[in-house]
């Protein structure tokens, strides 16, 4: 018995699954939302964090959130004289009349040529600097450097780091919002640095007491009522019974050096100013001799906070006032930040509900459409999308529906049986019918066109009644 070789297996004609497109938006949208949330957080923090160089920051006559009017009222309530000065030289001269505390809420506004004068304060005085920069610390020759800085001010106890606070005022105040900028001893400083609030406050008991605090929250109107902020602020400033409050509206002008009436060097805060420093005359330009904020100034804005004679002389030389849009000042800063967040939220909702563009999706048609009409009606759409696979599937599905209706086949008929019946009616082979009805995706437009013509020819042949000529038959 001779064994016959088995015929070679037919190549697999199973359709290859269409390549799924990468949905880039699934990767981009989460990162975009995270970036938007991070941006909103940073912008909101920048808007909420006060700027020490802005006009009115910790001013004793400003009543908004970043002002210091509540602190000034609390000091006056304790019998402390609040003397507001808008000029560096007059503030220094005001310390010559007796013990007092010089409060500098914005050291960055001081002119570099005048910062060094803060290191020569008389004995029995106190200097309080709020969040000074490294330039100010070096100019005053303080053995302190800036260490790490927090994202937001933190309320801590004076001995939060386990080291007892050596400053009685801070120890009595207890927990306060004083930890924003921390300080450390300068390299080469041999003594132990007296710190409180985990390095947020430094006390240097020199001839003139120097207190450096790294946060302005205890002095602000919107934060003074929290924790022990008011007790800390009034304790630091009211120890000598008089506060010289240096309230600068902007960067201080450079000092003007000239010659006084006695021939000695004179120093005026502005060119052409009449105030001299160390002129050697009888009164020496002491406060009380024509200077607002002298010994008779009570610090009341209605009495001693108006423009002085020196200010009137400088009005013609100073820069013009800033003209701001009144709309910006009509609403607080948090309102504009909230408005921006609502706008971004609305934009995200629009993007979420917007129509999404993607690959063609097979949908059932409301009416029966012949294969030839499908090709003619949607040819350009499929050609533009290069969707040969979906187009071939649509043509084959329409042809199978018509063939199943003509051959009385249920929808669950196996493909092999359908191919055999179609081959018997058309006169071809079963493999040819199976390839035609269940083959793979065409690789070119020419193959797709040939498939459409073959399906149309088979459908016309099988579906036409025996006694009725098919369309195009010439008999």
């Amino acid at each position: 018995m001779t064994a016959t070789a088995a015929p070679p297996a037919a190549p697999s004609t199973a359709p290859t699954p269409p390549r799924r497109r990468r949905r880039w938006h699934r990767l981009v949208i989460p990162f975009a939302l995270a970036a938007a949330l991070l941006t909103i957080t940073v912008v909101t923090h920048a808007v909420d964090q006060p700027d020490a160089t802005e006009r009115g920051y910790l001013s004793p006559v400003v009543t908004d959130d970043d002002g210091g009017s509540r602190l000034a009222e609390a000091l006056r309530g304790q019998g402390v004289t609040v003397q507001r000065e808008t000029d560096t030289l007059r503030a220094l001269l005001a310390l010559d009349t007796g013990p007092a505390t010089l409060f500098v809420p914005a050291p960055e506004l001081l002119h570099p040529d005048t910062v060094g004068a803060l290191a020569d304060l008389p004995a029995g005085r106190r200097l309080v600097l709020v969040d000074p920069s490294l330039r100010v610390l070096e100019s005053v020759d303080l053995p302190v450097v800036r260490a790490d800085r927090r994202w937001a001010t933190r309320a801590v106890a004076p001995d939060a780091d386990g080291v007892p606070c050596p400053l009685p005022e801070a120890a009595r105040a207890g927990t306060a919002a004083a930890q924003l900028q921390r300080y450390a001893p300068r390299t080469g400083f041999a003594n132990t640095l007296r710190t409180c609030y985990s390095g947020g406050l430094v006390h240097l008991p020199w001839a003139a007491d120097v207190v450096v605090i790294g946060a302005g929250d205890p002095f602000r109107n919107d934060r003074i009522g929290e924790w022990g902020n008011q007790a800390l602020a009034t304790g630091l400033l009211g120890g000598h019974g008089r506060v010289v409050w240096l309230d600068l509206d902007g960067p201080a002008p450079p000092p003007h050096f000239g010659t006084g009436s006695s021939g000695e060097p004179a120093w005026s805060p502005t060119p052409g100013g009449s105030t001299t420093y160390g002129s050697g005359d009888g009164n020496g330009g002491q406060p009380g001799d024509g200077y607002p904020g002298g010994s008779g100034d009570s610090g009341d804005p209605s009495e001693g906070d108006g423009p002085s004679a020196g200010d009137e002389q400088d009005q013609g030389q100073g820069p013009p006032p800033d003209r701001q849009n009144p709309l910006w000042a009509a609403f607080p800063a948090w309102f504009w930040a909230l408005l921006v967040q609502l706008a971004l939220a609305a934009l995200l909702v629009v993007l979420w509900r917007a129509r999404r563009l993607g690959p063609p999706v097979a949908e059932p048609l409301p009416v029966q459409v012949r294969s030839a009409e499908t090709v003619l009606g949607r040819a350009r759409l499929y050609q533009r999308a290069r969707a040969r696979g979906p187009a071939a599937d649509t043509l084959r599905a329409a042809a199978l529906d018509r063939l199943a209706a003509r051959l009385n086949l249920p929808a669950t008929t196996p493909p092999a049986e359908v191919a055999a019946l179609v081959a018997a009616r058309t006169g071809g082979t079963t493999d040819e019918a199976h390839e035609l009805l269940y083959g793979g995706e065409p690789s070119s437009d020419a193959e797709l066109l040939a498939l459409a013509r073959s399906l149309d020819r088979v459908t016309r042949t099988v579906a036409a009644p025996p006694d009725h000529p098919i369309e195009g038959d010439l008999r």
Side-chain angles (χ1 to χ4, degrees):
M1 184 174 181
T2 305
T4 58
S12 177
T13 58
T16 58
R19 183 182 299 176
R20 297 184 61 184
R21 296 183 179 181
R22 294 182 179 180
R23 301 295 180 86
W24 60 269
H25 59 273
R26 294 182 179 178
L27 181 63
V28 173
I29 289 180
F31 285 99
L33 293 177
L37 180 61
L38 181 62
T39 303
I40 292 174
T41 303
V42 173
V43 171
T44 305
H45 176 267
V47 172
D48 182 68
Q49 194 71 16
D51 187 2
T53 60
E54 291 183 356
R55 178 174 299 181
Y57 176 73
L58 295 186
S59 174
V61 296
V62 174
T63 59
D64 62 3
D65 291 344
D66 298 337
S69 59
R70 293 183 59 184
L71 174 58
E73 293 175 2
L75 290 171
R76 295 189 187 102
Q78 297 180 5
V80 179
T81 301
V82 178
Q83 181 176 338
R84 175 174 176 261
E85 295 291 349
T86 58
D87 181 82
T88 307
L89 175 60
R90 296 191 181 97
L92 294 174
L93 294 176
L95 300 176
D96 294 339
T97 59
T101 299
L102 177 60
F103 181 44
V104 185
E108 199 62 27
L109 297 178
L110 295 173
H111 195 271
D113 294 340
T114 60
V115 177
L118 299 179
D120 300 328
L121 298 184
R125 276 67 171 174
R126 169 174 284 184
L127 172 64
V128 178
L129 300 175
V130 178
D131 196 8
S133 63
L134 181 61
R135 175 185 66 86
V136 175
L137 294 175
E138 293 178 350
S139 299
V140 187
D141 196 20
L142 299 179
V144 178
V145 294
R146 293 164 66 96
D148 58 304
R149 188 179 185 90
R150 291 180 49 84
W151 170 262
T153 307
R154 179 186 179 188
V156 295
D159 54 352
D161 54 354
V163 179
C165 178
L167 192 62
E169 296 88 337
R172 288 194 298 267
T175 302
Q179 191 186 49
L180 177 63
Q181 174 64 56
R182 300 180 63 183
Y183 298 95
R186 188 173 58 188
T187 303
F189 183 66
N191 299 330
T192 302
L193 199 64
R194 297 163 57 91
T195 61
C196 301
Y197 300 104
S198 297
L201 185 146
V202 178
H203 177 224
L204 301 172
W206 294 351
D209 262 1
V210 179
V211 176
V212 178
I213 182 171
D217 298 59
F219 310 97
R220 286 166 44 185
N221 288 338
D222 59 340
R223 301 294 303 276
I224 193 173
E226 302 175 0
W227 301 96
N229 291 345
Q230 181 172 340
L232 176 62
T234 55
L236 294 178
L237 302 183
H240 294 289
R242 185 165 64 97
V243 178
V244 179
W245 198 310
L246 182 56
D247 185 17
L248 299 176
D249 293 335
H256 176 69
F257 295 94
T259 304
S261 58
S262 61
E264 297 182 359
W267 176 27
S268 176
T270 56
S274 59
T275 304
T276 59
Y277 179 75
S279 60
D281 53 3
N283 49 25
Q286 296 293 336
D289 299 332
Y291 297 102
S295 59
D297 190 358
S298 62
D300 192 346
S302 62
E303 297 178 2
D305 290 331
S308 63
D311 293 335
E312 294 177 357
Q313 295 176 2
D314 298 336
Q315 285 179 356
Q317 301 176 1
D322 297 336
R323 296 184 179 274
Q324 298 181 354
N325 190 342
L327 183 61
W328 295 105
F331 299 95
W334 62 264
F335 172 80
W336 299 109
L338 179 62
L339 194 63
V340 172
Q341 295 186 42
L342 292 178
L344 291 176
L347 179 61
L348 293 177
V349 171
V350 170
L351 295 177
W352 171 49
R353 301 296 298 175
R355 183 170 181 175
R356 293 166 176 78
L357 301 179
V361 179
E363 297 180 356
L365 299 177
V367 295
Q368 293 288 339
V369 182
R370 298 181 63 182
S371 300
E373 295 178 3
T374 301
V375 174
L376 296 177
R378 292 188 279 179
R380 291 187 181 275
L381 177 62
Y382 285 117
Q383 185 179 13
R384 181 177 302 176
R386 297 181 180 180
R388 302 185 187 95
D393 294 341
T394 302
L395 294 174
R396 284 166 173 155
L400 287 173
D401 288 344
R402 298 188 63 189
L403 293 174
R406 179 59 183 167
L407 299 175
N408 296 324
L409 298 177
T412 58
T413 305
E417 184 178 349
V418 175
L421 293 176
V422 171
R425 297 291 296 269
T426 59
T429 63
T430 303
D431 292 340
E432 292 177 351
H434 189 278
E435 175 65 22
L436 179 64
L437 298 176
Y438 303 99
E441 177 182 342
S443 58
S444 63
D445 292 343
E447 293 183 6
L448 179 63
L449 181 59
L451 174 64
R453 289 174 178 174
S454 300
L455 290 174
D456 184 58
R457 183 174 59 254
V458 170
T459 303
R460 290 171 181 269
T461 302
V462 176
D467 57 347
H468 189 279
I470 64 174
E471 183 180 353
D473 195 350
L474 299 179
R475 56 178 176 164

